[in-house]
Amino acid sequence: KLNLDIDAVQRAVEGLTYLLTESSKLMISEIDFQDSIHVLGFSDELNKLLLQLYLDNRKEIRSILNELAPKLPSYHNLEWRLDVQLASRSLRQQIKPVVTMKLHLNQNEDQTAQVLQTDPSTLLHLIQQLEQALGEMKTNHCRRIVRNMK
């Protein structure tokens, strides 16, 4: 009916879908949306129709995106144990420490447990990396990004 190639119609629908989902994710204002589509070179009438389409459907799009988002497990409890092998038959004086952790997680009201085992030096390195990541979250740049994501 449109006398267009199937690929052109598919690309147009995908582009419109991308525009509406990204705009809804970021909850951009009317002015920002108009600025975004003005660059595309559409007529003023089409720009108004796209703006109205965005304003009418952004809440519904956000609710659908929230439903599609993966449900990640959350922390419930951690049990740990430190085992140290002091000697063996072949080596009488050795120290081989191992940290064993049992991580209890909640996911959709189901509890699961993951058993992890590592040596103390790797555990210390992991702790340092996590503390560094938490420190990065306190920078102004990361705060700005997190604020824009909400």
Side-chain angles (χ1 to χ4, degrees), residues 37-52:
I37 60 175
H38 182 71
V39 175
L40 299 175
F42 296 136
S43 66
D44 289 338
E45 183 179 329
L46 185 57
N47 286 345
K48 288 178 185 176
L49 285 172
L50 286 173
L51 175 63
Q52 193 60 41

Side-chain angles (χ1 to χ4, degrees), residues 13-28:
V13 169
E14 288 173 354
L16 184 60
T17 304
Y18 181 77
L19 173 70
L20 292 175
T21 55
E22 290 301 313
S23 300
S24 298
K25 264 190 222 177
L26 299 173
M27 284 297 287
I28 63 175

Side-chain angles (χ1 to χ4, degrees), residues 11-111:
R11 285 194 303 271
V13 169
E14 288 173 354
L16 184 60
T17 304
Y18 181 77
L19 173 70
L20 292 175
T21 55
E22 290 301 313
S23 300
S24 298
K25 264 190 222 177
L26 299 173
M27 284 297 287
I28 63 175
S29 66
E30 293 180 36
I31 296 169
D32 291 337
F33 186 81
Q34 286 176 335
D35 290 343
S36 299
I37 60 175
H38 182 71
V39 175
L40 299 175
F42 296 136
S43 66
D44 289 338
E45 183 179 329
L46 185 57
N47 286 345
K48 288 178 185 176
L49 285 172
L50 286 173
L51 175 63
Q52 193 60 41
L53 180 69
Y54 167 66
L55 293 176
D56 292 343
N57 296 308
R58 69 177 164 189
K59 289 181 182 174
E60 185 177 349
I61 293 170
R62 282 185 67 82
S63 67
I64 291 170
L65 289 174
N66 281 337
E67 289 175 11
L68 294 176
K71 305 292 186 229
L72 298 175
S74 61
Y75 169 82
H76 178 70
N77 193 14
L78 177 70
E79 299 175 38
W80 63 274
R81 180 179 75 217
L82 177 64
D83 295 323
V84 180
Q85 182 177 354
L86 298 174
S88 66
R89 288 182 184 176
S90 59
L91 293 171
R92 291 188 177 195
Q93 292 185 347
Q94 71 173 3
I95 297 178
K96 187 177 175 185
V98 175
V99 178
T100 305
M101 298 171 279
K102 188 173 186 181
L103 183 62
H104 298 273
L105 303 171
N106 290 334
Q107 184 170 19
N108 299 332
E109 299 179 12
D110 294 331
Q111 284 196 354

